[in-house]
Amino acid sequence: MRLLPLALSLACLLAACQPASRPPKKAADAVPPQTAAAAPAFAFEEATVADLQARMAAGQLTSHALVQAYLDRIAAIDAAGPALRAVIERNPDALKEADALDAERKAGKVRGPLHGIPVLLKDNIDAVPMANSAGSLALAEHHPKTDAFLVAQLRAAGAVILGKTNLSEWANFRSTRSTSGWSGRGGQTRNPYALDRNPCGSSAGTGTAIAANLATVGIGTETDGSIICPSAVAGLVGLKPTVGLVSRSGIIPISISQDTAGPMTRSVADAAVLLTAIAAADPKDPASAERPASLPTDYTAYLKADALKGARIGVVRKLMGYQPDTDAAMERAIATLKAAGATVVDADIPTLGQWDQDELTVLLYEFKDGLNRYLADSHAPYSSLAALIAFNKAHAAQEMPYFGQELFEQAQAKGPLTDPAYRTARDRIRRLAGPEGIDAALKAQQLDALVAPAMSPAWPTDPINGDHFIGAGYGAAAVARYPSLTVPMGDVHGLPVGIVFIGTAWSEPRLIALGYAFEQASKARTPPRFLPSVVLPDAR
């Protein structure tokens, strides 16, 4: 998802030149009926990678049994029951992949901590044999011939690709009045904590799925907020890496400047395991050339419960003040940081908000260029942004029943990436958000990281008026191309809220250490209960 601070709306990523003559599949309903069905008991509720790996190592569990259990869980509460609509497609080969990995384990070969572990991927990531659609009916039959680079990394690490998750269509870069978590192909994903609330996006399906224990871990993508926001409102850990740490090859793009994929998990430890598997240099991704010579090969080495002792943390209070209950949760989080040994001071990002309009300009230019390249290179059914615009117009009843394609049309009107207006805006936003923004704030008081509330509590889903964003804390890191990590810090009337840790480029090890120490001190995550709505106190 791509959230613009400018209008506090939008979201992140995707693809298509063939006449729009083929009738599309019927679009899914916008909002399912507001009735909740109790979720059945689940044997692997809140299970971590380490828990499951230990059971498989002891011969108490097979990958086949684990995959089957998650598939049954998806059928019971995603397709039926509460009808979360988080999973857009299941991998038909998942059990076959699990069997092959079980055979390897029996033969004495274990690839690592992800061996046999089921992973869900956002539906803008190429993964054979499934479609990669960005939630659009135009690409519902688009089946890439090869895996994305990061998917190949996951398979090499022994992960089982369980399926693909729903998302805000085109990673929420289609309309200025969109509804997060809705796509023409997948319908409306629901927040598992209160089914009438929004899951945020654009990695909506991954957030809901992992929160609801539909897989062990998941992968989301972000341009500006698309990992952090859905993770925060689903009580998850979400890690948005430095651009260049994780490959973007085989991912439907929004922005070559800001796009990245990253872990969405129920614990910091699982995020570290997943990042270790997917962080690798990719010769096809130009951002890989920016990687430092020495990067960690194992991010789990930084899971240190005492990491907050002696740390200096800066609270960006200008990113607070938009919701009093969120502020109260943040103050409790600050107290937890101090009790764990951190020095906490108020901090200021001096350039905050100065990049908003330029960021939109950059994304519009880069979306057109990157999407056209992806569509052509992957031999998609539609080979250009212009063809997708025409498809949406021809099938408006299915694709645009609630909101339009203003961003598509604005991007189509942009010129090439050689335009001086684009280059000037790109260079300015990186400088303002990075060296003159986050780096300046860190250096001013010798800070290890900045913190802020990641996001407000989830808002009611409203397909008529669109999203109701009121504040967020992750935008500077997204524009600077720096890492950010959200960790659950509590709830507001049963709706999760997260704290976001922000650092300079390539500071994932430090953020993981700080986030893990905070997680162990706070123990703030609670599983969802699939309530029909928020239960508010009687104010009479």
Side-chain angles (χ1 to χ4, degrees):
M1 168 178 180
R2 151 85 193 126
L3 299 182
L4 289 178
L6 179 64
L8 283 175
S9 86
L10 290 189
C12 291
L13 289 136
L14 282 236
C17 196
Q18 182 171 320
S21 57
R22 171 175 58 86
K25 297 177 182 177
K26 183 181 182 294
D29 297 334
V31 183
Q34 301 302 322
T35 57
F42 185 53
F44 305 108
E45 183 90 4
E46 300 294 287
T48 67
V49 169
D51 294 335
L52 297 172
Q53 204 57 246
R55 293 178 66 174
M56 287 191 280
Q60 300 167 352
L61 177 67
T62 63
S63 180
H64 183 109
L66 183 60
V67 168
Q68 187 63 63
Y70 280 124
L71 291 173
D72 292 345
R73 173 88 165 169
I74 290 167
I77 70 169
D78 195 64
L84 299 173
R85 288 187 173 163
V87 178
I88 201 168
E89 183 176 353
R90 284 168 254 187
N91 179 9
D93 296 336
L95 288 171
K96 183 169 66 175
E97 293 177 18
D99 288 341
L101 290 161
D102 284 336
E104 286 187 9
R105 185 184 294 274
K106 189 174 181 179
K109 177 183 178 182
V110 177
R111 302 186 186 200
L114 285 180
H115 191 106
I117 299 295
V119 179
L120 281 168
L121 307 172
K122 184 176 180 179
D123 186 35
N124 60 352
I125 302 170
D126 292 349
V128 176
M130 293 168 286
N132 195 13
S133 73
S136 171
L137 294 170
L139 297 189
E141 301 301 330
H142 169 49
H143 292 267
K145 299 297 189 293
T146 58
D147 288 333
F149 184 91
L150 77 85
V151 175
Q153 293 293 114
L154 286 169
R155 293 193 197 273
V160 176
I161 307 304
L162 190 65
K164 305 286 287 291
T165 56
N166 197 23
L167 70 162
S168 311
E169 188 172 304
W170 295 109
N172 222 5
F173 204 74
R174 197 192 85 186
S175 174
T176 56
R177 196 179 52 77
S178 59
T179 299
S180 289
W182 183 89
S183 73
R185 183 180 175 218
Q188 179 65 54
T189 297
R190 308 167 84 179
N191 189 305
Y193 288 85
L195 300 177
D196 63 348
R197 295 272 160 168
N198 197 268
C200 199
S202 60
S203 305
T206 306
T208 288
I210 303 308
N213 288 270
L214 302 185
T216 312
V217 292
I219 298 289
T221 65
E222 174 165 325
T223 303
D224 191 337
S226 289
I227 289 173
I228 300 300
C229 183
S231 295
V233 304
L236 295 180
V237 172
L239 175 56
K240 198 284 291 187
T242 305
V243 173
L245 186 62
V246 176
S247 166
R248 288 90 54 86
S249 297
I251 300 177
I252 299 172
I254 286 177
S255 166
I256 195 170
S257 292
Q258 293 177 207
D259 289 351
T260 185
M264 297 173 69
T265 62
R266 293 182 294 271
S267 69
V268 177
D270 282 359
V273 169
L274 200 51
L275 183 64
T276 298
I278 63 175
D282 174 10
K284 293 184 178 179
D285 185 343
S288 282
E290 301 175 27
R291 295 163 59 94
S294 59
L295 282 174
T297 56
D298 183 3
Y299 287 91
T300 66
Y302 302 94
L303 298 171
K304 300 176 181 179
D306 63 350
L308 284 166
K309 291 181 180 179
R312 289 182 57 80
I313 307 294
V315 180
V316 185
R317 292 194 176 271
K318 286 183 180 179
L319 294 173
M320 297 172 62
Y322 52 81
Q323 209 278 338
D325 294 320
T326 303
D327 286 348
M330 186 67 190
E331 294 297 345
R332 292 191 293 272
I334 291 169
T336 299
L337 293 169
K338 291 179 178 179
T343 298
V344 182
V345 300
D346 287 354
D348 181 47
I349 298 176
T351 55
L352 197 64
Q354 294 181 22
W355 53 77
D356 292 349
Q357 187 57 56
D358 279 341
E359 182 190 8
L360 178 58
T361 296
V362 169
L363 299 191
L364 290 170
Y365 271 98
E366 293 185 348
F367 179 65
K368 178 183 178 181
D369 179 81
L371 184 58
N372 286 345
R373 290 176 187 273
Y374 172 87
L375 295 172
D377 291 346
S378 65
H379 305 289
Y382 296 84
S383 62
S384 68
L385 175 58
L388 291 172
I389 291 171
F391 177 92
N392 290 339
K393 288 179 179 178
H395 305 292
Q398 297 95 338
E399 275 291 350
M400 300 193 290
Y402 310 110
F403 52 87
Q405 55 179 343
E406 302 88 357
L407 293 175
F408 267 27
E409 291 165 350
Q410 291 174 32
Q412 179 60 25
K414 294 298 183 184
L417 298 189
T418 53
D419 280 2
Y422 159 72
R423 294 192 170 190
T424 298
R426 179 198 62 192
D427 295 346
R428 183 161 50 223
I429 65 173
R430 290 186 188 180
R431 171 174 49 81
L432 288 170
E436 296 179 13
I438 292 171
D439 290 337
L442 293 171
K443 291 175 183 176
Q445 299 186 75
Q446 295 79 51
L447 302 174
D448 291 278
L450 303 172
V451 294
M455 187 66 197
S456 65
W459 57 92
T461 295
D462 182 356
I464 297 173
N465 295 310
D467 288 331
H468 308 304
F469 300 122
I470 60 172
Y474 48 73
V479 177
R481 312 166 86 234
Y482 291 177
S484 54
L485 173 73
T486 185
V487 180
M489 68 174 179
D491 72 90
V492 173
H493 299 298
L495 298 172
V497 287
I499 180 174
V500 63
F501 293 81
I502 298 168
T504 190
W506 315 109
S507 63
E508 284 84 357
R510 189 60 174 146
L511 296 188
I512 287 170
L514 297 173
Y516 180 75
F518 175 81
E519 176 191 59
Q520 298 307 299
S522 61
K523 302 290 186 183
R525 173 169 164 79
T526 58
R529 293 189 291 154
F530 312 104
L531 298 176
S533 189
V534 174
V535 178
L536 297 174
D538 191 340
R540 291 176 295 177

